[in-house]
Amino acid sequence: METTLTLSPIRWQETPSRITILRNGAGPRTYLQTTAFEDLPALCWGRPVEEVLRIVSILSPAHHLAAAKALDRLFGVEPPETALNMRAGLMQALYACHHLRKLHLLLSGFTDLFDSPRAAERAGKGEILQTAADLMAALHLAQEAATILGGRADHPISSLPGGVSRFLKPEYYERLDEIAVQFKPAVDKIGKIFSEKILAEDGPLEKMDGITAEAMGAAILSDEEAEEKIRFKNGSGADGDSLSPEAALDGIECYTEPWTRTPFAGYEKAGGSYCVGPLARSAEEGEKPSAMAAFRAMLKELSKTAAAMQELYIQEKMTGPSVRTVPKDIGTEGAAAVEAPEGLILHRYRVDEKGIVREMKILDPRVQNNALRCDLAKNAVDRGLNSGKSPREIKGLIEAALLPF
């Protein structure tokens, strides 16, 4: 006889999600199901292409920057250095916001992972509480920087084809410099506590170390200043193809399953399924994908982000004779890629002679990580059932395993 267990909702996912577990004599079958339907290409079809900038930010602020970059290509314009620095400064703020938010949710949302006296003693309950406060203080700094550079923290409207819409107000240059100065020591302090206590091999999250996925390929955007290429790795970590955004969009196939609304992305030469994001950017040969590995990668990236903000958040980098190269003509196709905090984003737009969207393709990190997320959810369920955990405890394991993705 088959029984069904549904765990819902799964917290902190970008779209409403649930876990359905079917159990019979052959063992459990686990399904990670997203229940919300999103079809941005359908929403953008028939609209003037300039409107895409505003619409795609529904997914994330990083999509706004990807759209701006694709429109640069469509209109055949090169943004001035000032605008490029402002866009880069906004992306650094988005990296900081994304990673700090994930770490704070891990710390504050999974108190049951710190429930044993031994774990509390090793981690230091007082330090955990103080680190949660430090995370929020650093997050507020990053959000302020995103608001200054993007107009709004969650849905920026500053980028346009050829650059950005405005210079900053005079007082904001000094404030950005202050944010960068304050942010670096705050991140260093947070990283020390997480590395030495919370994410240590014998730390309070040691039970999460066993939840891993099968090795799969990875895809990241290579250094844009040198050459904008999508670099694929196979499941063993070896380098594979290096493709332009257009070629990558043509080579990556998406398919659907009847039990979830989120598609799956695959690239045959990378071994089929692949992952993107902090885990992919730090992937080492032979390392199995896991939440713990992703959180450790976030800590390393936070440190690099803090250093980049110190170099970029100065008035000399944010001022110049122009913030925009005004487009004069329009092409028929524009494609671009950005390495966003959550992973690789790919956009391509095709328009008619009036600039009306006639075809659009977007690859989102959630789609590209869907196979990884399903595998981690399955392994979290297996681990929970094998150790006799309650449905509430199994749900907590799943949420922790999926949080970075």
Side-chain angles (χ1 to χ4, degrees), residues 15-310:
T15 56
S17 302
R18 69 188 178 200
I19 295 288
T20 299
I21 306 169
L22 303 177
R23 288 190 286 183
N24 55 27
R29 301 196 308 277
T30 302
Y31 298 95
L32 171 61
Q33 300 173 306
T34 55
T35 55
F37 181 71
E38 292 179 356
D39 190 353
L40 275 186
L43 189 61
C44 294
W45 191 92
R47 294 178 181 265
V49 71
E50 294 93 332
E51 293 185 13
V52 170
L53 279 161
R54 174 178 53 84
I55 297 170
V56 297
S57 64
I58 295 170
L59 292 176
S60 77
H63 277 277
H64 172 79
L65 293 174
K69 195 173 176 182
L71 288 182
D72 291 342
R73 310 282 171 79
L74 182 68
F75 285 94
V77 287
E78 185 68 31
E81 185 178 0
T82 302
L84 292 176
N85 286 342
M86 291 175 71
R87 289 185 186 180
L90 175 56
M91 184 63 87
Q92 294 298 337
L94 297 179
Y95 265 81
C97 288
H98 177 273
H99 291 2
L100 288 167
R101 186 166 56 246
K102 296 287 188 180
L103 292 170
H104 187 269
L105 288 173
L106 175 70
L107 203 61
S108 63
F110 296 104
T111 53
D112 56 321
L113 295 178
F114 302 92
D115 56 359
S116 74
R118 188 167 68 92
E121 181 181 350
R122 282 204 309 268
K125 188 174 182 181
E127 285 185 301
I128 288 176
L129 293 175
Q130 181 57 51
T131 302
D134 292 340
L135 278 166
M136 285 306 298
L139 180 57
H140 290 160
L141 290 173
Q143 287 174 329
E144 184 180 355
T147 301
I148 289 173
L149 290 163
R152 294 175 61 186
D154 293 327
H155 298 292
I157 55 171
S158 63
S159 292
L160 296 168
V164 294
S165 60
R166 56 179 171 77
F167 284 105
L168 302 180
K169 293 180 179 180
E171 62 269 22
Y172 285 157
Y173 297 110
E174 183 177 349
R175 181 55 187 152
L176 282 173
D177 182 61
E178 292 173 351
I179 288 172
V181 170
Q182 296 172 31
F183 191 72
K184 183 67 166 67
V187 165
D188 289 343
K189 182 180 178 182
I190 291 166
K192 188 175 186 335
I193 293 295
F194 267 89
S195 297
E196 295 181 359
K197 304 232 173 179
I198 297 167
L199 295 178
E201 291 185 2
D202 60 345
L205 294 176
E206 60 183 347
K207 66 180 75 175
M208 290 301 303
D209 254 339
I211 301 177
T212 60
E214 291 302 315
M216 56 180 60
I220 63 171
L221 181 63
S222 297
D223 184 4
E224 296 182 49
E225 294 184 3
E227 186 179 18
E228 187 185 53
K229 294 289 185 180
I230 313 303
R231 183 158 50 88
F232 287 92
K233 293 185 174 184
N234 61 29
S236 64
D239 285 335
D241 288 347
S242 183
L243 305 175
S244 67
E246 295 88 343
L249 279 164
D250 289 333
I252 296 171
E253 298 292 335
C254 292
Y255 64 94
T256 59
E257 293 287 353
W259 42 268
T260 183
R261 291 189 179 273
T262 299
F264 295 80
Y267 181 66
E268 183 179 358
K269 293 183 181 179
S273 298
Y274 62 93
C275 66
V276 299
L279 191 64
R281 291 190 288 265
S282 67
E284 298 179 6
E285 188 171 349
E287 182 182 33
K288 286 194 173 183
S290 71
M292 294 292 282
F295 282 123
R296 292 186 180 111
M298 285 183 192
L299 288 178
K300 294 178 182 177
E301 290 190 346
L302 267 176
S303 181
K304 293 179 181 178
T305 297
M309 289 166 70
Q310 286 188 324

Side-chain angles (χ1 to χ4, degrees), residues 344-395:
L344 178 69
I345 292 175
L346 289 159
H347 282 219
R348 178 171 64 203
Y349 316 136
R350 291 191 173 117
V351 302
D352 63 17
E353 67 280 359
K354 295 181 180 180
I356 303 300
V357 176
R358 295 306 178 195
E359 184 181 336
M360 179 176 177
K361 185 172 183 179
I362 290 179
L363 267 177
D364 185 80
R366 188 177 66 253
V367 171
Q368 297 172 94
N369 274 336
N370 202 23
L372 169 65
R373 295 163 70 247
C374 288
D375 202 12
L376 288 171
K378 173 187 178 300
N379 292 337
V381 168
D382 291 345
R383 187 178 179 87
L385 291 176
N386 291 338
S387 57
K389 293 189 178 299
S390 67
R392 185 188 72 84
E393 291 173 319
I394 293 174
K395 185 170 175 285

